[in-house]
């Protein structure tokens, strides 16, 4: 539990966003896809169209591999603040607390952000791995290997479900030796005292879409994740499941499918009594990869591209310079004659 003086507590509340208490209903309609099901490709595409979000089971990643990373990162977050800050501030990799991005977004969260490509040198990532035990490093590396395979399998099933002949059209970008994928571990401490004083629900991580291709999330068994349904205003709470992975469509996949599969807006609310830990693998392309609608999709649907051509580096830079809730893709949408 976080123990703060009253003045420190009020200072924290001054900076952390909050909502008035609301009763967001638990959403029981999350699509669940068994990756061993012969019809998984169809189920996945349907879930992407309807929600931009779904859960996968039978993913072949051992539970002890997931809990091992959870335990090791909890040990890190349990250290004194002065020790954790030796791995920060993030550049963007490393340890961060409260501040999210560079445009003033804040949340009741501390996190670790690690690049997953060994050929891309991040001094903060190296420092973080070196200052912790070998067990910590192995837990990170083993988890990345397992979750990357889940990411690529899902991307290949998406290609199959869309009828794309080149089934690795998406996954090859994540498997590329220069892939800009990353792993983020978010820790949301219990905030009973703060929430009581604030008179509202504290935001752990504000509403946003993920800029990468897809995101693969695993959390402990504490609720907090919410997604926005396609009507744009209904927020629903996602029941936690520490044995499964939750998949989110990212902005890059939305562009490559010319808006056929749309990214999902989501956020995290804090829990009064329990801390939440989530581990997110962001499947990203190489920095110089051109992000454009696939020609096969444009031809098959007789569509014109809705987006300007850009590289992942250009979009990533634009995304991280904007507020979380900003519609980042609007900068790259083509204007119609009526506009």
């Amino acid at each position: 539990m976080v123990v703060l003086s009253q003045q420190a507590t009020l200072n924290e509340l001054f900076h952390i966003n909050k909502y008035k208490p609301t009763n967001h209903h638990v959403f029981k309609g999350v699509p669940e896809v068994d990756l061993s099901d012969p019809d998984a490709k169809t189920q996945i595409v349907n879930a992407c169209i309807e929600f931009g979000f779904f859960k996968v089971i039978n993913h072949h990643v051992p539970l002890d591999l997931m809990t091992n990373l959870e335990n090791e990162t909890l040990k890190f977050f349990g250290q004194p603040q002065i020790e954790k800050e030796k791995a920060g501030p993030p550049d963007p990799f490393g340890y961060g607390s409260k501040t999210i991005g560079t445009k003033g977004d804040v949340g009741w969260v501390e996190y670790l952000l690690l690049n997953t490509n060994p050929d891309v040198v991040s001094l903060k990532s190296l420092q973080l791995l070196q200052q912790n035990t070998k067990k910590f490093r192995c837990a990170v590396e083993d988890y990345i290997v397992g979750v990357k395979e889940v990411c690529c399998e899902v991307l290949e099933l998406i290609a199959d479900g869309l009828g794309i002949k080149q089934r690795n059209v998406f996954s090859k970008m994540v498997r590329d030796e220069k892939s800009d994928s990353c792993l983020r571990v978010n820790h949301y401490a219990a905030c009973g005292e703060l929430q009581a004083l604030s008179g509202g629900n504290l935001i752990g991580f504000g509403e946003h879409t993920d800029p990468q291709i897809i995101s693969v999330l695993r959390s402990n068994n504490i609720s907090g994740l919410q997604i926005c349904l396609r009507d744009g205003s209904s927020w629903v709470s996602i029941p936690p499941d520490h044995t499964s992975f939750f998949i989110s469509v990212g902005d890059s996949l939305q562009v490559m499918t010319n808006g056929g599969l749309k990214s999902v807006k989501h956020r995290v609310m804090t829990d009064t009594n329990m801390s939440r830990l989530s581990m997110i693998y962001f499947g990203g392309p190489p920095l110089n990869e051109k992000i454009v609608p696939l020609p096969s999709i444009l031809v098959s649907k007789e569509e014109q591209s809705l987006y300007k051509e850009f590289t992942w580096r250009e979009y990533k830079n634009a995304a991280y310079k904007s507020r979380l809730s900003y519609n980042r893709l609007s900068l790259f949408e083509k204007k119609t004659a009526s506009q």
Side-chain angles (χ1 to χ4, degrees), residues 35 40-41 44-45 48 54 56 147-164 166-176 179 181 212-216 247-250 252-254 256-257 261 281-285 294:
L35 291 183
K41 62 181 182 181
I44 287 175
V45 169
C48 288
F54 57 96
V56 296
V147 78
K148 179 180 178 180
E149 286 306 308
V150 174
C151 179
C152 290
E153 182 177 0
V154 168
L155 287 173
E156 289 169 2
L157 286 169
I158 289 175
D160 289 342
L162 292 173
I164 299 172
Q166 186 183 358
R167 75 185 308 259
N168 71 337
V169 65
F170 303 123
S171 64
K172 68 180 181 180
M173 290 182 271
V174 176
R175 295 190 189 279
D176 192 293
S179 165
S181 299
Q212 290 87 356
I213 306 172
I214 63 170
S215 308
V216 185
I247 311 295
S248 299
V249 172
S252 295
L253 185 58
Q254 177 171 324
M256 288 187 283
T257 59
L261 308 183
Y281 178 86
F282 297 98
L294 298 179

Side-chain angles (χ1 to χ4, degrees), residues 32-222:
E32 181 177 289
V33 180
D34 184 336
L35 291 183
S36 65
D37 189 328
D39 195 40
K41 62 181 182 181
T42 302
Q43 296 173 28
I44 287 175
V45 169
N46 289 341
C48 288
I49 292 172
E50 187 172 3
F51 300 107
F53 182 87
F54 57 96
K55 179 168 75 171
V56 296
I57 61 173
N58 281 335
H59 46 68
H60 307 301
V61 177
L63 181 59
D64 60 356
L65 188 150
M66 297 188 282
T67 55
N68 190 30
L69 178 59
E70 177 183 333
N71 292 335
E72 289 304 310
T73 51
L74 283 174
K75 289 178 186 177
F76 174 87
F77 290 123
Q79 296 180 103
Q81 191 65 26
I82 192 171
E83 291 299 318
K84 292 184 287 188
E85 289 179 351
K86 291 179 181 179
D91 61 356
F93 300 107
Y95 171 78
S97 177
K98 305 293 190 297
T99 300
I100 303 170
T102 60
K103 292 297 180 179
D105 288 300
V106 292
W108 186 249
V109 62
E110 59 180 341
Y111 65 88
L112 293 173
L113 185 62
L114 298 167
N115 59 323
T116 62
N117 184 346
D119 294 329
V120 177
V121 178
S122 165
L123 295 180
K124 288 290 174 60
S125 290
L126 289 174
Q127 183 182 24
L128 176 63
L129 294 173
Q130 289 170 357
Q131 76 184 42
N132 285 278
T133 64
K134 182 178 179 181
K135 192 175 179 181
F136 178 92
R137 295 195 300 273
C138 290
V140 170
E141 292 166 359
D142 291 347
Y143 183 81
I144 288 173
V145 170
V147 78
K148 179 180 178 180
E149 286 306 308
V150 174
C151 179
C152 290
E153 182 177 0
V154 168
L155 287 173
E156 289 169 2
L157 286 169
I158 289 175
D160 289 342
L162 292 173
I164 299 172
K165 292 181 179 180
Q166 186 183 358
R167 75 185 308 259
N168 71 337
V169 65
F170 303 123
S171 64
K172 68 180 181 180
M173 290 182 271
V174 176
R175 295 190 189 279
D176 192 293
E177 62 180 10
K178 295 183 179 179
S179 165
D180 190 44
S181 299
C182 59
L183 175 69
R184 183 182 183 109
V185 184
N186 289 330
H187 178 236
Y188 306 93
C191 60
E193 179 187 357
L194 290 178
Q195 195 151 299
L197 286 171
S198 72
N201 297 53
L202 295 186
I203 300 175
F205 211 106
E207 62 183 73
H208 64 286
T209 58
D210 294 334
Q212 290 87 356
I213 306 172
I214 63 170
S215 308
V216 185
L217 176 145
R218 185 266 178 187
S219 67
N220 60 358
N221 237 13
I222 305 302

